[in-house]
Amino acid sequence: MPKPTFSQRYYRNEIRPIFNNQVALHTQYGGLLTVREAWDWLNVNHIQRQAGIEWGGEPAEVLGFSYMAGPLVGASTMKAIAEKFSPGSKDALLAALFNRHPNWYTYRRYLADWRFDWYHFTQTVAETLLTLPLTRTIATGQMILDDVVVPKWYAEQMEYLAKLKDPCTGHIGPAYDIINLGYVDPDKFLPLAFRFRIKTAKELEPGFKRAKGEPSEDPEVQTKLDLALSLLRWVIGTKIATRYLVFDGWWSVFWFLHELDRLGLWWIGKIRHDRLVRRLDGQVGTVSDFAADSPLFPVPQLGVEAGAYWGYLLPPVYDQKRPPLPAKFVVVRYLRKAMTKAAKRCSRPAV
């Protein structure tokens, strides 16, 4: 890669001259040089080679960096990325950034190769970030666990696809079901790890039924909860500074919460309204019953009313061998008032 230098301070989407061997290159993507410096600082090319992520003799830095930088230069497809970083690119800096210029077919094969261990690559990058002063985690930060459906309606032959419903549109078709684990604090967000969730041949066999309310030790039978648990065990092994984990109500499965307790994690999540709770005064009721009876106080900074009580989350009927879980239950009203008009008409508290 040539070593261009700025003629003056660069701001994104402004065209400024950048000099390379005394020749002015006019570009609107000069900020990409700073991204490239961060790429080299993190030694991402070495991490790619460690994970065996190379294709067709092309340098790891060409395929990896240009694919990562695609959205930053307005390229959202393999073909667009190949064109943006080609010798005929309309932007002089992008044309001169690399000595080799793979075609779009090479990019496609590079990303679709099932032999590449993207899990190892992503986690190695995260482990590198966790050791650096600028990206080190802090005790008051939070890990975030969530799943996302990425639709691929016209790509039925791609790896890891499953038939899923898009929660945004309601459409059902081929999509990726991905479990994501990230970290956030007031200064930064770090992606930590991810897993694809896809049913195996064993799960698709007629009459197959997994044990309810139990983690699976079978690598061929891994639900999203099992995959999330493996990610959390890995991240704790990295000596991450925080022990806070945030998630939505889907993850509040009783056995999973017990596993989080065993890992020493403090979880913050939504609980279903029909779950049974025993308060410290001995009263037993559902989450919604106690939410309706709890005194709430205004929180002006958030524009909500809130209250809290201590108690125990009781096990479901199918999981009586695990003890109740101690927890602090926070009741919030008007949490989504500013987000949706429907919430303005809702007067019932939610937990």
Side-chain angles (χ1 to χ4, degrees):
M1 173 183 172
K3 295 293 183 182
T5 56
F6 295 119
S7 63
Q8 52 183 303
R9 184 172 178 82
Y10 175 80
Y11 296 91
R12 189 178 178 187
N13 294 330
E14 294 183 13
I15 298 178
R16 302 282 181 90
I18 295 178
F19 292 96
N20 179 39
N21 297 329
Q22 307 303 316
V23 177
L25 304 178
H26 293 278
T27 179
Q28 59 177 334
Y29 302 116
L32 204 60
L33 296 178
T34 303
V35 177
R36 177 55 191 265
E37 288 179 1
W39 180 274
D40 292 338
W41 178 62
L42 292 172
N43 205 12
V44 180
N45 294 330
H46 175 68
I47 295 172
Q48 278 195 109
R49 286 189 288 269
Q50 272 190 322
I53 300 176
E54 296 179 277
W55 177 263
E58 298 291 347
E61 64 175 11
V62 175
L63 292 171
F65 180 82
S66 52
Y67 174 69
M68 178 279 302
L72 302 179
V73 298
S76 57
T77 66
M78 301 298 99
K79 187 174 182 180
I81 291 173
E83 291 175 351
K84 280 280 188 179
F85 290 93
S86 70
S89 176
K90 295 180 180 179
D91 190 278
L93 176 63
L94 300 187
L97 204 56
F98 298 112
N99 294 325
R100 296 176 68 97
H101 303 89
N103 57 33
W104 73 272
Y105 181 76
T106 302
Y107 278 103
R108 190 181 71 174
R109 295 298 299 272
Y110 164 75
L111 289 173
D113 197 315
W114 60 269
R115 297 170 298 175
F116 293 166
D117 191 348
W118 292 106
Y119 298 157
H120 172 69
F121 170 75
T122 305
Q123 291 174 203
T124 304
V125 172
E127 289 170 355
T128 302
L129 291 170
L130 293 178
T131 62
L132 298 173
L134 289 176
T135 51
R136 192 172 295 154
T137 59
I138 59 176
T140 54
Q142 298 174 349
M143 290 181 285
I144 302 173
L145 178 64
D146 201 2
D147 62 325
V148 61
V149 173
V150 181
K152 290 289 181 181
W153 306 140
Y154 307 105
E156 295 186 9
Q157 301 304 315
M158 295 178 68
E159 296 286 334
Y160 303 116
L161 285 177
K163 190 174 182 180
L164 300 170
K165 180 179 180 179
D166 186 341
C168 298
T169 65
H171 185 80
I172 298 176
Y176 290 123
D177 194 4
I178 305 175
I179 298 94
N180 291 296
L181 182 65
Y183 166 87
V184 66
D185 63 36
D187 299 318
K188 57 188 171 293
F189 170 79
L190 302 177
L192 297 175
F194 76 99
R195 287 292 185 274
F196 286 107
R197 161 61 180 153
I198 185 171
K199 290 186 177 180
T200 62
K202 185 174 182 178
E203 292 178 275
L204 296 174
E205 291 177 357
F208 172 81
K209 190 175 182 180
R210 63 161 289 165
K212 190 174 183 180
E214 295 291 338
S216 173
E217 301 299 333
D218 186 347
E220 293 188 54
V221 183
Q222 295 282 291
T223 67
K224 287 192 282 191
L225 294 168
D226 296 316
L227 295 172
L229 196 57
S230 69
L231 296 182
L232 292 168
R233 287 169 177 162
W234 161 78
V235 78
I236 289 174
T238 66
K239 309 300 182 184
I240 191 168
T242 184
R243 284 297 180 268
Y244 293 106
L245 177 66
V246 180
F247 47 74
D248 60 30
W250 191 91
W251 303 91
S252 299
V253 177
F254 196 71
W255 72 259
F256 185 71
L257 299 180
H258 261 279
E259 292 297 322
L260 299 183
D261 189 54
R262 290 177 59 186
L263 292 174
L265 295 174
W266 289 79
W267 53 272
I268 305 167
K270 190 174 182 180
I271 299 293
R272 283 175 53 94
H273 67 90
D274 57 353
R275 297 291 294 273
L276 287 177
V277 174
R278 184 175 71 240
R279 292 195 311 202
L280 295 184
D281 60 8
Q283 292 190 47
V284 176
T286 64
V287 168
S288 60
D289 290 338
F290 287 143
D293 296 338
S294 297
L296 304 182
F297 306 92
V299 184
Q301 303 94 318
L302 302 178
V304 300
E305 295 178 359
Y309 61 92
W310 286 92
Y312 292 88
L313 182 65
L314 300 181
V317 293
Y318 60 81
D319 190 5
Q320 294 297 314
K321 67 180 182 180
R322 290 184 175 86
L325 271 172
K328 183 177 184 179
F329 297 87
V330 180
V331 183
V332 182
R333 181 186 283 143
Y334 307 131
L335 184 60
R336 299 187 180 182
K337 184 176 180 180
M339 299 173 59
T340 62
K341 293 181 179 179
K344 292 181 179 179
R345 299 189 296 269
C346 179
S347 58
R348 186 175 184 180
V351 175

